[in-house]
Amino acid sequence: MNTFGTLFTLTSFGESHGAAIGGVVDGMPAGITVDMDFVRNEMHRRRPGQSAVTTGRQEPDEVEFLSGIFEGRTTGTPIGFIIRNTNQHSSDYDNLREVLRPSHADYTYLQKYGVRDHRGGGRSSARETAARCVAGALAKLALREVGINIQAYTSQVGHIALDNDYTRYDLALTETNIVRCPDPEKAREMEELILQVKSEGDTIGGIVTCVITGCPVGLGEPVFGKLHAALGSAMLSINACKGFDYGRGFDGIAERGSEQNDPFTRTAEGISTLTNRSGGIQGGISNGQPIYLRAAFKPVATQLGEQTTLDIHGNEQTLKAKGRHDPCVVPRAVPIVEAMAAITLLDHYLQARASQRFAD
Amino acid sequence: MNTFGTLFTLTSFGESHGAAIGGVVDGMPAGITVDMDFVRNEMHRRRPGQSAVTTGRQEPDEVEFLSGIFEGRTTGTPIGFIIRNTNQHSSDYDNLREVLRPSHADYTYLQKYGVRDHRGGGRSSARETAARCVAGALAKLALREVGINIQAYTSQVGHIALDNDYTRYDLALTETNIVRCPDPEKAREMEELILQVKSEGDTIGGIVTCVITGCPVGLGEPVFGKLHAALGSAMLSINACKGFDYGRGFDGIAERGSEQNDPFTRTAEGISTLTNRSGGIQGGISNGQPIYLRAAFKPVATQLGEQTTLDIHGNEQTLKAKGRHDPCVVPRAVPIVEAMAAITLLDHYLQARASQRFAD
Amino acid sequence: MNTFGTLFTLTSFGESHGAAIGGVVDGMPAGITVDMDFVRNEMHRRRPGQSAVTTGRQEPDEVEFLSGIFEGRTTGTPIGFIIRNTNQHSSDYDNLREVLRPSHADYTYLQKYGVRDHRGGGRSSARETAARCVAGALAKLALREVGINIQAYTSQVGHIALDNDYTRYDLALTETNIVRCPDPEKAREMEELILQVKSEGDTIGGIVTCVITGCPVGLGEPVFGKLHAALGSAMLSINACKGFDYGRGFDGIAERGSEQNDPFTRTAEGISTLTNRSGGIQGGISNGQPIYLRAAFKPVATQLGEQTTLDIHGNEQTLKAKGRHDPCVVPRAVPIVEAMAAITLLDHYLQARASQRFAD
Amino acid sequence: MNTFGTLFTLTSFGESHGAAIGGVVDGMPAGITVDMDFVRNEMHRRRPGQSAVTTGRQEPDEVEFLSGIFEGRTTGTPIGFIIRNTNQHSSDYDNLREVLRPSHADYTYLQKYGVRDHRGGGRSSARETAARCVAGALAKLALREVGINIQAYTSQVGHIALDNDYTRYDLALTETNIVRCPDPEKAREMEELILQVKSEGDTIGGIVTCVITGCPVGLGEPVFGKLHAALGSAMLSINACKGFDYGRGFDGIAERGSEQNDPFTRTAEGISTLTNRSGGIQGGISNGQPIYLRAAFKPVATQLGEQTTLDIHGNEQTLKAKGRHDPCVVPRAVPIVEAMAAITLLDHYLQARASQRFAD
């Protein structure tokens, strides 16, 4: 199940240390100009080795588009693309051929498939998310045409958390620091914490908040295709993501219903709401207000210190990981969250067009 | 999009105040004995009017199976079923024909479809979840054959919360009280809170925790079909669900990676883990440990007091809801969470069978 | 796999001699007025017992709609419906409980599922197609709004065949005779042949031709969703259908390419073609010309005479079928072919809307 | 819609004259040894320029696998692959930038997407089928493990036809001549006809027959996923395919039911049938007998002579095609038909495993 989406889809492939990763984007609207600088910049935001708080692995992540784009514009046919794996320290992983790393996918992949590419986690590596960023960049280019904008940011690292109300921040500041946090003071604290954790050979978790503006009323397909269910599935499919909520989410459960109401109001443009506690979605359908959601990322399990573990034969082994990894995945998860949100939104935008009233 | 699942699917239909709700269960394994008492009991657990903490609406919710079962056993063909709507106080909703209830789906359905059944929320009513409980009951009967068990309970109502570690409770106590909480003391507190909120004409949110035991290693289809992504989508599709996490979830983000490791150990049965902070899923694939997850439910928006709102023409109206509703949806959400978990697990169990190694 | 379609879908259920058959139509455009007389008439055209050339089984086939229609119009939510089985001569089939009828689905269902409803073929009975006619009637009502019309007719029974060029006939004459053939003379011959075959306790095959007019340019999703591939799959899913072609089809293979060209011409409405040998589809996409296709139906295997066969234990048994069946399924297949064409066309109409250029 | 299949899927991409074509094979069983010589040979069979009866275009069609194969075996993860387009006479097509070739997909693609890659038909080129042959080769390697064998051959070119009964031929002779016909005498006649048609600058159609042996009982998912409906959809998705039938197909419609019965018989292995007029499928489910089917291919529309046609502005143009093409696609369609049959069979094999009885 390496395909995501219904009408706008990404089918991804590739292992961390194979020849290449890549994918096929299907259902891309025709006639969209592909801004290659934009695509490259999106890839750069996810790229390993971009700053002191990310893994040391260096990958240029150059995307080669193979089809579906003609003379700079999309043609409506599938867009195949590949990203060559160039910096493969496969020998870093020779000692892991038979060792099961705790809290990784080594054991489950082996049990499920009976065979696995042990190098760098193989298919279970977050390297796969590079393909999502390509698809996400294309989706953003299409969404831009219809006025939908997506912006994510780091809202928590360890115990250092922003306020849940995103309107209190200037999201334009997000890309001004390496943790991608729109609050410069908190950003500094987060950076320090990550560097400290890194120096300890440990890892730390955090939260990415994502805000979607310009979304028209009517996206979402009840009852199982509720817009937030699709967004939740999208986020939870990202490596290390352990939780999702939207609107008032987990924080809202201790409130009264009377505190969560979004009263209607009449504006020049039509019917709107005075508040947006619902998070832009009601009954699974977008209501025209900004959509905001959170994705929680665990501290990744890779440990640089020595651990005792088992090998595939059940024998005890001492594990000393040499692979490079992120002390905190959250800063690099920001563009991935945006990519998955963009893919989901475009998919639902197309679905909503299909179900538009015939009289329109 | 009223179909859920890939190989084991539920297609549901029906409005709150139409002739009937129902569905089609497809992909049900053949040869399973249908224990009708079990099905009836599952429906009873979700049924409105079952206790003082639920809505006063009375629906017997008798399921009529129309196909796919022959001489008491499933035949592998689709199982059609209906539940007649018998207690339709449609006149309760006459005053809502043109009124938009705040934080309900009235406005979004109207905008999306241009027409809506205003009676009791129509399709957006949680009455639709009765169909899920039928499918869930069938899924449970199949899962029982392979040793998979699913148990949910109320773990939080308002600010009254259980400890996140489910192993501290005797889950067999869950059904001994009307809030479905395995801690009798907390259960009493929760009940009191709900009754108080009800007396105020208000509502309150909460959390359902679900534990899945007996799940074999290997369920889940990377990368977009990760088992927890499917479970998340399942839960988020339930009315009023605003958040989902599993394993250490949102609580785990402030921890270090070294605190979340699940070291391997060798047991008589083979490889196991000493702890289960991962929540039974690694790399999107079940690892044989219990799966535990949480679904957060908001306080529902229906208010019994008077509110000022707009009608479909944008004119101000005074809304005084007369419909019956739950002061807290969580006790009745417990069986629905179980049903969606069962549907998801059986679907993935079948998918995993398909991808088993040929040499097996 | 009892669901057909991508955006407009039918999920059907039901056995020949169970409580009811029925289905769920999902993705129905909102706001369509449901002309119940039209639906009833469509059901009547498929109904058994309608004439001397069909089975004697009498079923009123009254459709009960349970959801998705409010005050006479579709709401965009799923339309659940059931048709009760009223005339179940189940005792006709008592002798078939353990007997395997040659060239029926008895053996394959038993082997696949290990259990089967032997009464009247159970799920493999053509009774299931009644659900398709309901969905087809709804699809036709939606297609009518956008000017797409579907008309099928009997073009061959046994060796009695019409010319392949449908434009030589007045299709309005189709429903003026019980074999549904627009050539009155051939219709008489076909009727005589069927009655003769019936008197011999035997059956005979034939062909249904279907013509779709008013289809806009652009329906069909390359490369695997070619419009004719979807139509082919739709037709081949009908009981007893053994072949499908479109345009010049099987007859065109012995021709030269130069004989099959459809030269372009300019008309007042834009670009058109002088001929239509392609059958209205080029590269899998409708080109605005009428689509015409053929579905070939075998003589059904049910025999009224005595046969020697095996039972489920492999023992020889003498089979003397008492069930009622059609001597030739073709006249009743006409509305079913139309229904499947309508479902397919509406599904692709919706898909094409989704992929429309953003600039439009 | 560039994905085919449910559990075993091919997602293909690529234009005739773009950088590369390729695809992603998902759901490939793990642990299958990938015989690269076999894959290469399958590609060679489809390759242009292989003989006097095919197009002169020369493409080495070297497949590069990028993922999903580790140390020579499949890992269960998606297999990405590309085939570079090396011999692109794009200048052959410069004169076609604005010209609409009759009976090609030029007009329909342009109308649907508003933009098109005019070089060599772009996405509508049969070059896309190379990706199918890669997926088909992988599917065959998996099917070989479970004893399923697929063999296609040219059974008709123009009016030169073999007998419909495939058992009258030694299919091992198929690859001994360039038209891929197992009857050496007819093969010579077919070759002569094709060369004659080629010399006239014209094209001719034909039929490919495909035989599947070793298929177990139970493949096929009633009612819309009937095995023959899936096979029909697979074949009709191949470029230039206009018709499909199986078993007695179109030829059987003039027969009586009594002539088409397949009486059961008891063999050492269990229940079998004396004849196989059904074509190995009953009620949409394989019955253990060989499956045989036919795919009809039209004479392709490309004409080497001069034609008058229109350009995209509706102006008359004289078209003189310079592109190289096949005078008869049937010899090269043989491996493509096999590939699509293999993909379909493996997909249904996996689906059938999922629905196996739990007691097994």
Side-chain angles (χ1 to χ4, degrees):
Chain A
M1 231 285 277
N2 293 276
T3 298
F4 184 84
T6 298
L7 293 181
F8 177 78
T9 61
L10 165 66
T11 301
S12 88
F13 66 84
E15 276 80 41
S16 177
H17 287 66
I21 62 164
V24 185
V25 169
D26 203 2
M28 179 72 185
I32 306 288
T33 298
V34 179
D35 178 341
M36 286 304 297
D37 287 335
F38 177 75
V39 175
R40 247 177 247 116
N41 188 55
E42 289 291 285
M43 298 310 293
H44 185 85
R45 293 173 68 208
R46 194 213 73 96
R47 202 168 67 79
Q50 64 184 264
S51 78
V53 297
T54 67
T55 172
R57 178 171 173 165
Q58 292 285 344
E59 288 278 3
D61 282 355
E62 285 287 345
V63 185
E64 183 187 5
F65 287 107
L66 301 170
S67 66
I69 301 171
F70 182 60
E71 300 180 340
R73 287 194 305 158
T74 59
T75 60
T77 62
I79 299 173
F81 64 88
I82 60 172
I83 302 165
R84 295 276 173 190
N85 290 326
T86 57
N87 183 5
Q88 306 159 20
H89 288 210
S90 298
S91 57
D92 278 9
Y93 297 94
D94 279 354
N95 62 330
L96 295 176
R97 175 177 281 272
E98 299 209 322
V99 173
L100 301 174
R101 292 170 300 166
S103 293
H104 279 75
D106 297 352
Y107 174 69
T108 50
Y109 268 69
L110 181 63
Q111 288 293 309
K112 185 176 183 71
Y113 299 115
V115 53
R116 72 190 175 99
D117 181 347
H118 66 280
R119 301 167 303 169
R123 181 67 180 155
S124 73
S125 163
R127 178 138 187 76
E128 172 266 329
T129 57
R132 307 186 187 207
C133 286
V134 176
L138 294 170
K140 282 180 178 180
L141 289 170
L143 290 172
R144 186 188 281 180
E145 303 273 327
V146 294
I148 299 177
N149 183 59
I150 292 164
Q151 165 87 59
Y153 61 92
T154 298
S155 56
Q156 186 165 346
V157 171
H159 56 278
I160 307 167
L162 299 199
D163 189 278
N164 275 347
D165 181 0
Y166 73 90
T167 65
R168 297 184 50 182
Y169 301 98
D170 177 3
L171 302 190
L173 298 178
T174 301
E175 297 288 324
T176 61
N177 57 73
I178 59 176
V179 289
R180 298 201 162 90
C181 171
D183 180 325
E185 183 54 44
K186 294 279 187 183
R188 263 188 299 276
E189 292 177 40
M190 290 172 177
E191 184 179 338
E192 276 167 33
L193 175 59
I194 296 173
L195 292 175
Q196 180 197 328
V197 164
K198 185 184 181 182
S199 71
E200 296 166 3
D202 213 332
T203 59
I204 189 84
I207 295 181
V208 174
T209 294
C210 184
V211 182
I212 301 156
T213 54
C215 182
V217 188
L219 273 53
E221 301 298 321
V223 294
F224 297 117
K226 291 189 169 94
L227 186 55
H228 55 265
L231 286 164
S233 172
M235 298 308 151
L236 290 159
S237 76
I238 302 173
N239 306 51
C241 183
K242 303 289 283 189
F244 167 88
D245 66 4
Y246 79 104
R248 295 286 299 128
F250 273 93
D251 290 328
I253 56 177
E255 296 177 346
R256 300 291 166 96
S258 53
E259 297 173 276
Q260 282 200 27
N261 247 5
D262 290 319
F264 284 109
T265 183
R266 196 167 181 174
T267 68
E269 290 77 34
I271 292 172
S272 182
T273 59
L274 283 173
T275 53
N276 183 22
R277 291 149 182 151
S278 293
I281 301 172
Q282 283 168 333
I285 303 170
S286 63
N287 72 347
Q289 301 302 313
I291 296 166
Y292 54 97
L293 59 90
R294 300 190 306 162
F297 292 88
K298 69 168 183 177
V300 288
T302 303
Q303 300 297 322
L304 287 189
E306 263 185 27
Q307 303 181 68
T308 300
T309 187
L310 299 181
D311 64 19
I312 61 177
H313 312 293
N315 300 320
E316 282 204 353
Q317 296 286 350
T318 298
L319 168 66
K320 181 144 179 42
K322 280 185 286 191
R324 295 147 298 170
H325 64 272
D326 293 273
C328 179
V329 298
V330 173
R332 285 180 62 207
V334 166
I336 304 168
V337 164
E338 287 183 6
M340 292 308 294
I343 294 169
T344 305
L345 263 288
L346 180 55
D347 190 23
H348 273 83
Y349 186 87
L350 299 182
Q351 290 183 58
R353 290 175 112 210
S355 66
Q356 275 179 323
R357 300 195 290 283
F358 273 29
D360 278 359
Chain B
M1 232 284 279
N2 293 277
T3 298
F4 185 84
T6 299
L7 294 182
F8 177 78
T9 61
L10 166 64
T11 301
S12 88
F13 66 83
E15 275 81 41
S16 177
H17 287 67
I21 63 163
V24 185
V25 170
D26 202 2
M28 179 72 185
I32 306 287
T33 298
V34 179
D35 177 342
M36 286 303 297
D37 287 336
F38 176 76
V39 175
R40 247 177 247 117
N41 189 54
E42 289 290 285
M43 298 310 293
H44 186 85
R45 292 173 68 208
R46 194 213 72 96
R47 201 168 69 78
Q50 63 184 266
S51 78
V53 297
T54 67
T55 171
R57 178 171 173 165
Q58 293 285 343
E59 287 279 2
D61 281 355
E62 285 288 345
V63 185
E64 183 187 6
F65 288 107
L66 301 170
S67 66
I69 301 171
F70 182 58
E71 300 179 343
R73 287 195 305 158
T74 59
T75 60
T77 62
I79 299 173
F81 63 89
I82 60 172
I83 302 166
R84 295 276 171 188
N85 290 326
T86 55
N87 184 5
Q88 306 157 21
H89 288 209
S90 298
S91 57
D92 277 7
Y93 296 94
D94 279 354
N95 62 329
L96 295 176
R97 175 177 281 272
E98 300 209 322
V99 173
L100 300 173
R101 293 170 300 165
S103 293
H104 280 75
D106 297 353
Y107 174 68
T108 51
Y109 268 69
L110 181 64
Q111 286 294 309
K112 186 176 182 72
Y113 300 114
V115 53
R116 73 189 174 99
D117 180 347
H118 66 281
R119 302 166 303 169
R123 181 68 180 154
S124 72
S125 163
R127 178 138 187 77
E128 173 266 328
T129 58
R132 307 185 186 208
C133 287
V134 176
L138 294 170
K140 282 180 178 181
L141 288 170
L143 291 171
R144 186 188 281 181
E145 303 273 328
V146 295
I148 299 176
N149 184 58
I150 292 163
Q151 165 87 59
Y153 61 92
T154 298
S155 57
Q156 187 166 345
V157 170
H159 55 279
I160 307 167
L162 298 200
D163 189 277
N164 274 348
D165 181 0
Y166 74 89
T167 65
R168 297 184 49 182
Y169 301 98
D170 177 3
L171 302 190
L173 298 178
T174 302
E175 297 287 325
T176 61
N177 57 73
I178 59 177
V179 288
R180 299 202 162 88
C181 172
D183 179 325
E185 183 55 42
K186 293 278 188 185
R188 262 188 298 276
E189 292 177 41
M190 290 172 176
E191 183 179 339
E192 275 166 33
L193 176 58
I194 298 173
L195 292 175
Q196 179 197 329
V197 165
K198 184 183 180 183
S199 72
E200 297 165 3
D202 212 333
T203 59
I204 188 84
I207 294 181
V208 174
T209 294
C210 183
V211 182
I212 301 155
T213 55
C215 182
V217 189
L219 272 54
E221 302 297 322
V223 295
F224 298 117
K226 290 189 169 95
L227 186 55
H228 55 265
L231 286 165
S233 172
M235 298 309 149
L236 289 159
S237 76
I238 301 174
N239 306 50
C241 183
K242 303 289 282 190
F244 167 87
D245 66 4
Y246 80 104
R248 296 284 300 125
F250 273 92
D251 290 328
I253 56 179
E255 295 177 347
R256 300 291 165 97
S258 53
E259 297 173 277
Q260 282 201 27
N261 247 5
D262 290 318
F264 284 109
T265 184
R266 196 168 180 171
T267 68
E269 291 79 34
I271 292 172
S272 183
T273 59
L274 284 173
T275 52
N276 183 22
R277 291 149 183 152
S278 293
I281 301 172
Q282 283 168 333
I285 303 170
S286 63
N287 71 348
Q289 301 302 312
I291 296 165
Y292 55 96
L293 60 89
R294 300 190 305 162
F297 291 88
K298 71 169 182 178
V300 289
T302 304
Q303 301 297 323
L304 287 189
E306 262 185 27
Q307 302 180 69
T308 299
T309 187
L310 298 181
D311 64 19
I312 61 178
H313 312 293
N315 300 322
E316 281 203 356
Q317 297 286 349
T318 299
L319 168 66
K320 180 143 179 41
K322 279 185 286 191
R324 294 147 298 169
H325 65 273
D326 293 272
C328 178
V329 298
V330 173
R332 285 180 62 207
V334 166
I336 304 168
V337 164
E338 288 183 5
M340 291 309 292
I343 294 169
T344 305
L345 263 287
L346 181 55
D347 190 23
H348 273 82
Y349 186 86
L350 299 181
Q351 289 184 57
R353 290 175 110 210
S355 67
Q356 275 179 324
R357 300 194 289 285
F358 273 29
D360 279 358
Chain C
M1 230 284 279
N2 294 277
T3 298
F4 184 83
T6 299
L7 293 181
F8 178 77
T9 62
L10 166 65
T11 301
S12 88
F13 66 83
E15 276 81 41
S16 177
H17 287 68
I21 62 164
V24 185
V25 170
D26 202 2
M28 180 71 185
I32 307 288
T33 299
V34 179
D35 177 342
M36 286 302 297
D37 287 335
F38 176 76
V39 175
R40 246 176 248 119
N41 188 54
E42 289 291 284
M43 299 309 293
H44 185 85
R45 292 173 68 209
R46 195 213 72 96
R47 200 168 68 78
Q50 64 185 265
S51 78
V53 297
T54 66
T55 172
R57 178 171 174 165
Q58 294 284 344
E59 288 277 3
D61 282 355
E62 286 287 344
V63 185
E64 183 188 5
F65 288 107
L66 302 170
S67 65
I69 301 171
F70 182 60
E71 300 180 341
R73 288 194 305 158
T74 59
T75 60
T77 62
I79 300 172
F81 63 88
I82 60 171
I83 303 165
R84 296 275 173 189
N85 291 327
T86 55
N87 183 6
Q88 306 158 20
H89 288 209
S90 298
S91 56
D92 278 7
Y93 297 94
D94 279 354
N95 63 328
L96 295 176
R97 173 177 282 272
E98 299 209 323
V99 173
L100 301 173
R101 292 170 301 166
S103 294
H104 280 76
D106 297 352
Y107 174 68
T108 51
Y109 268 69
L110 181 63
Q111 287 294 308
K112 185 176 183 73
Y113 300 114
V115 52
R116 74 192 173 97
D117 180 346
H118 66 279
R119 301 167 303 170
R123 181 66 179 155
S124 73
S125 163
R127 177 139 187 77
E128 172 267 329
T129 57
R132 307 186 187 208
C133 287
V134 176
L138 294 170
K140 281 180 178 180
L141 289 170
L143 291 172
R144 186 188 281 181
E145 303 274 327
V146 294
I148 299 177
N149 183 58
I150 292 164
Q151 164 86 60
Y153 61 91
T154 298
S155 57
Q156 188 165 346
V157 171
H159 56 279
I160 307 166
L162 299 199
D163 189 279
N164 274 348
D165 181 0
Y166 73 90
T167 64
R168 297 183 50 181
Y169 300 97
D170 177 3
L171 302 190
L173 298 178
T174 301
E175 296 287 325
T176 61
N177 57 73
I178 59 177
V179 288
R180 297 201 163 90
C181 171
D183 180 324
E185 183 55 42
K186 294 278 188 186
R188 262 188 299 275
E189 291 177 41
M190 291 171 175
E191 182 179 339
E192 275 167 34
L193 176 57
I194 297 172
L195 292 175
Q196 180 198 329
V197 165
K198 184 184 181 184
S199 72
E200 297 165 4
D202 213 332
T203 60
I204 189 84
I207 295 181
V208 174
T209 294
C210 184
V211 182
I212 301 155
T213 54
C215 181
V217 189
L219 272 54
E221 301 297 321
V223 296
F224 297 117
K226 290 189 170 95
L227 186 55
H228 56 264
L231 286 165
S233 172
M235 297 309 149
L236 289 159
S237 76
I238 302 173
N239 307 49
C241 184
K242 303 289 282 190
F244 167 88
D245 66 4
Y246 80 104
R248 296 283 299 127
F250 272 92
D251 290 326
I253 57 178
E255 296 177 345
R256 301 291 165 95
S258 53
E259 296 174 277
Q260 282 201 26
N261 247 6
D262 290 319
F264 284 109
T265 184
R266 196 168 180 173
T267 67
E269 292 77 35
I271 292 173
S272 182
T273 60
L274 284 172
T275 52
N276 184 22
R277 291 149 183 152
S278 294
I281 301 172
Q282 283 168 334
I285 303 170
S286 63
N287 71 348
Q289 301 302 312
I291 296 167
Y292 55 95
L293 59 89
R294 300 190 307 162
F297 292 87
K298 70 168 182 178
V300 290
T302 304
Q303 301 298 322
L304 287 189
E306 261 184 29
Q307 303 179 68
T308 300
T309 189
L310 298 181
D311 64 19
I312 60 177
H313 312 293
N315 299 321
E316 282 204 355
Q317 297 286 349
T318 299
L319 168 65
K320 181 141 178 43
K322 279 185 284 191
R324 294 147 298 170
H325 64 273
D326 293 273
C328 178
V329 299
V330 172
R332 285 180 61 207
V334 166
I336 304 168
V337 164
E338 287 183 6
M340 291 309 293
I343 293 169
T344 305
L345 263 287
L346 181 55
D347 189 24
H348 274 82
Y349 186 86
L350 299 181
Q351 290 183 58
R353 289 174 112 208
S355 67
Q356 276 180 323
R357 301 194 290 283
F358 273 30
D360 280 358
Chain D
M1 230 285 278
N2 293 277
T3 298
F4 184 83
T6 299
L7 294 181
F8 177 79
T9 61
L10 165 65
T11 301
S12 88
F13 66 84
E15 275 81 41
S16 177
H17 287 68
I21 62 163
V24 185
V25 169
D26 202 2
M28 180 71 185
I32 306 288
T33 299
V34 179
D35 178 342
M36 286 303 296
D37 287 336
F38 176 76
V39 174
R40 247 177 247 117
N41 188 54
E42 289 290 285
M43 298 310 291
H44 185 85
R45 293 174 68 207
R46 194 214 73 96
R47 200 168 68 78
Q50 65 185 263
S51 79
V53 297
T54 67
T55 172
R57 178 170 173 166
Q58 293 285 344
E59 287 277 3
D61 281 356
E62 287 286 344
V63 185
E64 183 188 5
F65 288 108
L66 302 170
S67 66
I69 301 171
F70 183 59
E71 300 180 340
R73 287 195 305 159
T74 59
T75 60
T77 62
I79 300 173
F81 63 89
I82 60 172
I83 302 166
R84 295 276 173 188
N85 290 326
T86 57
N87 182 5
Q88 305 158 21
H89 288 211
S90 297
S91 57
D92 278 8
Y93 296 93
D94 279 355
N95 62 329
L96 295 176
R97 174 177 281 272
E98 299 210 322
V99 173
L100 300 173
R101 293 170 299 167
S103 293
H104 280 75
D106 298 351
Y107 174 68
T108 51
Y109 268 70
L110 181 63
Q111 287 293 309
K112 185 175 183 72
Y113 300 114
V115 53
R116 74 191 174 97
D117 180 347
H118 67 280
R119 301 167 303 169
R123 181 67 179 155
S124 72
S125 164
R127 178 140 187 76
E128 172 266 328
T129 58
R132 306 186 187 208
C133 287
V134 176
L138 294 169
K140 282 180 178 181
L141 289 170
L143 290 172
R144 187 188 280 181
E145 303 273 328
V146 294
I148 300 177
N149 183 58
I150 292 164
Q151 164 88 60
Y153 62 91
T154 298
S155 56
Q156 187 165 346
V157 171
H159 56 279
I160 307 167
L162 299 199
D163 189 278
N164 275 349
D165 181 0
Y166 73 90
T167 65
R168 298 183 51 181
Y169 302 97
D170 176 3
L171 302 190
L173 298 178
T174 301
E175 297 288 324
T176 62
N177 58 73
I178 59 177
V179 289
R180 297 201 164 89
C181 171
D183 180 325
E185 184 55 42
K186 293 280 188 183
R188 263 187 299 275
E189 291 177 41
M190 290 171 175
E191 184 179 338
E192 275 166 34
L193 176 58
I194 296 172
L195 292 175
Q196 180 198 329
V197 165
K198 185 183 181 184
S199 72
E200 295 165 5
D202 213 332
T203 59
I204 188 83
I207 295 181
V208 175
T209 294
C210 183
V211 182
I212 301 155
T213 54
C215 181
V217 189
L219 273 55
E221 301 298 321
V223 296
F224 297 117
K226 291 190 169 94
L227 186 55
H228 55 265
L231 286 165
S233 172
M235 298 307 149
L236 289 160
S237 76
I238 302 173
N239 305 51
C241 183
K242 302 289 282 189
F244 167 88
D245 66 5
Y246 80 104
R248 296 286 298 128
F250 273 92
D251 289 329
I253 56 177
E255 294 178 346
R256 299 293 165 94
S258 53
E259 296 173 277
Q260 281 201 26
N261 248 5
D262 291 317
F264 284 109
T265 184
R266 196 168 181 173
T267 68
E269 291 78 36
I271 292 172
S272 182
T273 60
L274 284 172
T275 53
N276 183 22
R277 290 150 184 151
S278 294
I281 302 172
Q282 283 168 333
I285 302 170
S286 63
N287 71 348
Q289 301 303 312
I291 296 166
Y292 55 96
L293 59 88
R294 300 190 306 162
F297 291 88
K298 70 168 183 177
V300 289
T302 304
Q303 300 297 322
L304 288 188
E306 263 184 27
Q307 302 180 69
T308 300
T309 188
L310 298 181
D311 63 19
I312 60 177
H313 312 293
N315 300 321
E316 281 204 355
Q317 296 287 349
T318 298
L319 168 66
K320 182 144 178 41
K322 280 185 284 190
R324 294 148 298 171
H325 65 272
D326 292 273
C328 179
V329 298
V330 173
R332 286 180 61 207
V334 166
I336 304 168
V337 164
E338 288 182 6
M340 291 309 294
I343 294 169
T344 305
L345 263 288
L346 181 55
D347 190 24
H348 273 83
Y349 186 86
L350 299 181
Q351 290 183 57
R353 288 176 113 208
S355 67
Q356 274 179 324
R357 300 194 291 283
F358 273 29
D360 279 357

